[in-house]
Amino acid sequence: MRASYQWPTDTAQHQSNRNGNGNTNSNNNHGKHLSLAPKATVGSGSQTEQDATERAMKWRILLFTLIAHWGWVQVQCQVEGEQSHSTSVAGMVKLLKVEAQLIDALKDYAGELEKKLQAVRSGIVSMRQESKKAQDSMEEYLSNPLNSFSLIRRMHRDWTLWQMFLEDPVGPAQLDRIQELREQMPSSTDLEEAVTALDRIQSTYGLEVADISRGILDGRQYNVSLNALDTYAMGQTLFDQAKYVAAAGWLYQALSWLESNRLPVPVEVSKGEVQAVYAETLLKLDRHADALKVVNIALGGDKRHDIKLLLKKSEIETLIRTGPNSIGIAPTLKSTAQPLGEYERGCRGLFPSASKDGRLHCVYNSTNSAFLRLAPLKMELVGLDPYMVLYHDVISAPEISQLQDMATPGLKRATVYKASGRRSEVVKTRTSKVAWFPDTFNELTERLNRRIADMTNFDLLGSEMLQAMNYGLGGHYDKHYDFFNASTATNLTQMNGDRIATVLFYLTDVEQGGATVFPNIRKAVFPQRGSAIIWYNLKDDGDPNPLTLHAACPVLVGSKWVCNKWIRERAQLFKRPCLKRGSD
C-alpha cells in the first residue's frame, strides 16, 4: 500500500545531523511499539552473568567477522582482473572517455592524411604543368638541353623520393595511441555479456526487436536507434549461444536496415553475409523453405558466385526433398515463447498495486530508539509474512552523493556464494558491481549503521559490511534467498548465525525497470531515491522463510544504485529471541 497523506518533515536530514552519542539501541518503549524487531523482555537472573555472556559472545562474533573479512579480500583478489564493463553504468563511464580519446586520435590521423594528400595534390599540379608543356611538341621540348637534363634528373631522383614519401606510414603516433587504448576496450566476453543483457531485457519485459531497434523501450521513444552492425552482432552472438529464435529476429532486423541504409566502408557488412547467417538460423529452426528463399535472394545479389552459398542451396534442397519437414507448415518464430511467470509479471508492474489487508498502514516510527523520539522515521508496513517495511526519505541526497563517490573507484564485479565450492564466484545470474565498506570506514558509514540500528532495533555486531552496488546494462539479480540455511552452510553461520534481516537502501530513481520483486507473495517494490526496504529472512523460530524469495529485475532505462546490509542473527539473542515452533 501507499501512504494517503503527505509527510511533513524531512527525517533523513534529521538523521544525517545525528551525532555519535545517540542511543541507537535503547530499550525504552513508550507508546505503541512499532519496531521492526519486537523487543524481548529479559527474564529474572543475574545481570552480571548476562553481561559476561554478552561480552564473550561479542568477542567471538568479532573474531569470526575478521575471518570473514579476510575471505572477502581473497574473493576480491580473484575478480581483480575482471572488467565486466556492461555490469555497471558507473563503470561504463570510462568507456565513453576512452572512446573520446580514440576519436581524437582518429581526427589527428585524418589531419596527417590531409597534410600528405595536400602535398601530393600540390606535386601533381606542378608536375602536370611541366608535362603538358612537353606533350604539345615532345621533340622540340627535348631539344632544349635544360628540359632534357631536368627530365632525367626528375626521373632519377624525384620519383624515388615520391615513392619513399608514399611508402612512409601516415600517423604512426596516432596508431600507437589507439593500440595503447585497446587494453581498456571491451573484450569479446564483454560483448557477449552485453548481448545477453539486451536479450534479457527483451524477454523479461516482452519487447519487440523492431521497437528496440527504433529506440522504443516499453512504449517510450528515446533519441537512439540501432544500426545493422548492432543488430547483426546481436544475431550472431545469440546464434552462437544456440538461441535461434531470438537470433532470427535480430538478423531479420539487420537485413531490413540494410535495405535502405549504408555503413561506412571500414566497418561495412554486406547483405549477403547477413543473409548467409540468417539462412543458417532458419535451418536450425527447421524452416527449410524459408532458408532456401533467403539463400536464393543472396545468390541474386552480391553473392551470386559464392561457392559456400551454392553448396548450402544444394544442401537445403536435399533436406526439403528428403527431410521430415518436407510437407507441412514450418514453425513460427513465436512457437517457443515461454509462459509469463510471476517474476516477469512483477517486473512488468502487473502485481496488485494495493493490498486489502487492513493491518498494513503508514506511520511515523518513533519507538525503536530514544533518538527516534526526536526524529521519527516515515515507515510503511508492506507485509506481515515475511515481515516487511518500507522507510521513506531515510537517506539524504548529500549522503547518497558521498556514498556513490566513495564506491565508484572501487566497484568490482558482484559474486554469489556457492555452497558446493564453499566460496563466492562470479555468476551470470547476478550482473552488477559492488564496493564494500567496513562499519568504521568513515563518519558516513558509522552514521548509516546507527540509522540501520534505529530502523531495525537490531544489534549490528557481527553483521556484514555495507555494500554499495551499481547495476549496468540490463543489470539484475535472479531469484534467490538472502539466508544461507544454517543446516547446509555451517561454515558461514556457526559464529554470527544466519542473515536474520536484509536492509536495502535505494539511492536513485530508475526510469524504467529495476524493481525488487517477491514472486511468492506477489509484491514488487520499485526504486525510490532515499527510501529503504527491510524484511525478515528468518521465521520466529529461526528457520528460513521460503516466502522471502526475491529478485532484482533487469534495469531497462536508468542507473540503479543501492546500498544494503545483511544483519546476522546471533547478536539478536536479547533483541529477537527464537520462539518455540508451534505443535503440529
Side-chain angles (χ1 to χ4, degrees):
M1 64 176 286
R2 284 285 179 266
S4 58
Y5 53 91
Q6 296 294 321
W7 303 103
T9 62
D10 185 355
T11 55
Q13 187 61 42
H14 287 304
Q15 284 283 330
S16 67
N17 293 332
R18 181 179 183 184
N19 61 35
N21 297 322
N23 180 9
T24 61
N25 293 315
S26 171
N27 284 324
N28 294 330
N29 187 15
H30 298 281
K32 184 179 179 180
H33 181 60
L34 296 170
S35 169
L36 181 62
K39 291 182 173 64
T41 302
V42 180
S44 60
S46 171
Q47 183 65 36
T48 303
E49 291 180 1
Q50 178 182 322
D51 292 344
T53 302
E54 287 185 351
R55 285 196 298 271
M57 180 183 67
K58 289 181 177 180
W59 275 110
R60 289 195 297 270
I61 290 174
L62 180 60
L63 176 62
F64 188 78
T65 301
L66 292 173
I67 296 172
H69 177 65
W70 173 247
W72 168 81
V73 171
Q74 289 181 314
V75 169
Q76 293 305 304
C77 291
Q78 292 171 2
V79 299
E80 187 70 30
E82 177 64 46
Q83 291 291 324
S84 296
H85 290 289
S86 68
T87 58
S88 167
V89 170
M92 283 190 286
V93 169
K94 63 182 179 182
L95 287 183
L96 288 175
K97 297 178 180 178
V98 170
E99 186 178 46
Q101 295 179 61
L102 289 168
I103 294 172
D104 288 341
L106 189 60
K107 180 181 178 181
D108 292 342
Y109 181 78
E112 294 296 318
L113 285 175
E114 287 286 353
K115 290 179 183 178
K116 190 162 189 174
L117 183 59
Q118 185 60 36
V120 171
R121 284 175 173 166
S122 178
I124 290 173
V125 170
S126 176
M127 289 185 287
R128 185 72 71 189
Q129 289 176 348
E130 192 65 28
S131 177
K132 187 176 181 181
K133 268 199 302 185
Q135 295 298 325
D136 294 338
S137 179
M138 294 184 184
E139 288 190 10
E140 181 180 348
Y141 175 84
L142 292 172
S143 64
N144 188 310
L146 300 181
N147 289 333
S148 298
F149 170 77
S150 183
L151 174 63
I152 292 173
R153 195 235 2 119
R154 291 198 307 269
M155 298 292 291
H156 175 65
R157 288 191 175 180
D158 289 6
W159 282 104
T160 300
L161 294 174
W162 274 112
Q163 182 179 355
M164 293 172 62
F165 179 77
L166 295 176
E167 291 175 347
D168 187 31
V170 178
Q174 289 75 29
L175 293 174
D176 290 342
R177 179 60 179 154
I178 292 175
Q179 185 60 38
E180 291 174 6
L181 292 172
R182 286 197 64 83
E183 295 181 1
Q184 303 178 47
M185 296 185 199
S187 64
S188 58
T189 300
D190 288 310
L191 178 58
E192 290 174 8
E193 288 183 342
V195 169
T196 301
L198 199 52
D199 181 58
R200 182 188 311 122
I201 287 174
Q202 181 195 357
S203 60
T204 302
Y205 296 103
L207 308 182
E208 297 293 334
V209 171
D211 288 341
I212 297 175
S213 301
R214 294 196 299 269
I216 302 173
L217 300 176
D218 203 18
R220 299 188 193 179
Q221 178 68 63
Y222 293 89
N223 187 26
V224 64
S225 61
L226 301 180
N227 62 25
L229 292 175
D230 298 318
T231 52
Y232 183 40
M234 286 291 300
Q236 279 182 309
T237 306
L238 291 170
F239 178 90
D240 292 339
Q241 296 175 354
K243 297 180 179 179
Y244 303 120
V245 172
W250 288 103
L251 292 169
Y252 179 80
Q253 193 61 38
L255 291 171
S256 299
W257 192 93
L258 289 171
E259 287 291 334
S260 55
N261 300 277
R262 289 185 62 85
L263 292 164
V265 174
V267 295
E268 187 176 19
V269 59
S270 68
K271 286 175 60 177
E273 179 182 343
V274 181
Q275 287 165 337
V277 181
Y278 185 42
E280 194 65 38
T281 305
L282 293 174
L283 282 178
K284 295 291 186 181
L285 295 171
D286 293 330
R287 297 181 58 178
H288 300 157
D290 291 335
L292 182 60
K293 291 178 183 178
V294 173
V295 170
N296 285 331
I297 293 173
L299 287 171
D302 58 354
K303 296 282 187 178
R304 61 177 58 89
H305 301 302
D306 191 302
I307 186 64
K308 291 183 180 180
L309 280 178
L310 291 171
L311 290 173
K312 181 60 66 176
K313 177 182 179 179
S314 177
E315 175 190 339
I316 296 172
E317 289 173 339
T318 301
L319 286 172
I320 291 175
R321 288 194 304 270
T322 63
N325 293 304
S326 57
I327 300 176
I329 301 174
T332 64
L333 287 177
K334 295 184 179 181
S335 61
T336 59
Q338 298 296 320
L340 195 64
E342 292 298 324
Y343 165 71
E344 289 79 12
R345 290 179 61 83
C347 290
R348 299 181 191 185
L350 300 179
F351 285 161
S353 57
S355 173
K356 297 180 181 179
D357 191 336
R359 294 172 296 176
L360 304 182
H361 59 279
C362 298
V363 68
Y364 275 105
N365 187 339
S366 60
T367 62
N368 273 17
S369 70
F371 179 74
L372 291 191
R373 298 177 200 168
L374 302 176
L377 296 174
K378 308 168 187 176
M379 190 182 82
E380 177 182 347
L381 184 58
V382 177
L384 297 174
D385 186 19
Y387 191 77
M388 185 182 301
V389 297
L390 182 66
Y391 281 96
H392 297 270
D393 301 321
V394 77
I395 181 169
S396 66
E399 289 173 327
I400 290 173
S401 297
Q402 184 180 351
L403 191 56
Q404 290 174 324
D405 290 342
M406 287 163 47
T408 299
L411 288 172
K412 303 293 180 185
R413 177 71 184 267
T415 59
V416 172
Y417 178 77
K418 290 289 188 180
S420 56
R422 293 195 170 187
R423 67 188 192 119
S424 296
E425 301 175 359
V426 171
V427 294
K428 295 181 179 180
T429 55
R430 188 184 188 189
T431 53
S432 60
K433 287 187 176 181
V434 302
W436 296 83
F437 299 103
D439 293 353
T440 57
F441 182 79
N442 61 14
E443 190 274 336
L444 175 61
T445 59
E446 291 177 350
R447 191 191 321 143
L448 288 178
N449 279 287
R450 289 196 301 268
R451 192 170 307 155
I452 290 172
D454 286 339
M455 295 159 62
T456 63
N457 193 39
F458 279 148
D459 188 337
L460 302 189
L461 184 66
S463 294
E464 297 174 51
M465 294 182 286
L466 284 171
Q467 178 185 211
M469 190 165 13
N470 181 232
Y471 291 82
L473 171 58
H476 80 309
Y477 192 175
D478 208 353
K479 297 182 290 293
H480 65 285
Y481 299 103
D482 281 352
F483 57 75
F484 289 114
N485 194 341
S487 62
T488 59
T490 55
N491 59 317
L492 293 174
T493 61
Q494 59 186 352
M495 286 296 294
N496 292 339
D498 213 332
R499 291 170 171 169
I500 191 173
T502 296
V503 181
L504 181 65
F505 292 92
Y506 295 109
L507 306 182
T508 56
D509 295 316
V510 178
E511 188 171 341
Q512 290 198 78
T516 304
V517 297
F518 298 80
N520 288 349
I521 58 175
R522 305 190 75 221
K523 288 186 182 293
V525 179
F526 286 84
Q528 290 181 304
R529 189 170 191 251
S531 64
I533 186 170
I534 304 173
W535 68 87
Y536 284 170
N537 296 302
L538 306 181
K539 299 179 181 178
D540 290 343
D541 59 7
D543 284 347
N545 189 342
L547 295 180
T548 61
L549 181 72
H550 62 285
C553 296
V555 175
L556 185 52
V557 180
S559 178
K560 179 183 176 182
W561 279 89
V562 298
C563 176
N564 77 286
K565 190 177 187 72
W566 288 301
I567 301 176
R568 295 301 187 98
E569 65 176 323
R570 196 73 75 219
Q572 320 315 325
L573 177 62
F574 301 105
K575 294 282 187 178
R576 186 182 184 246
C578 291
L579 303 179
K580 291 183 179 180
R581 186 179 301 173
S583 58
D584 295 332

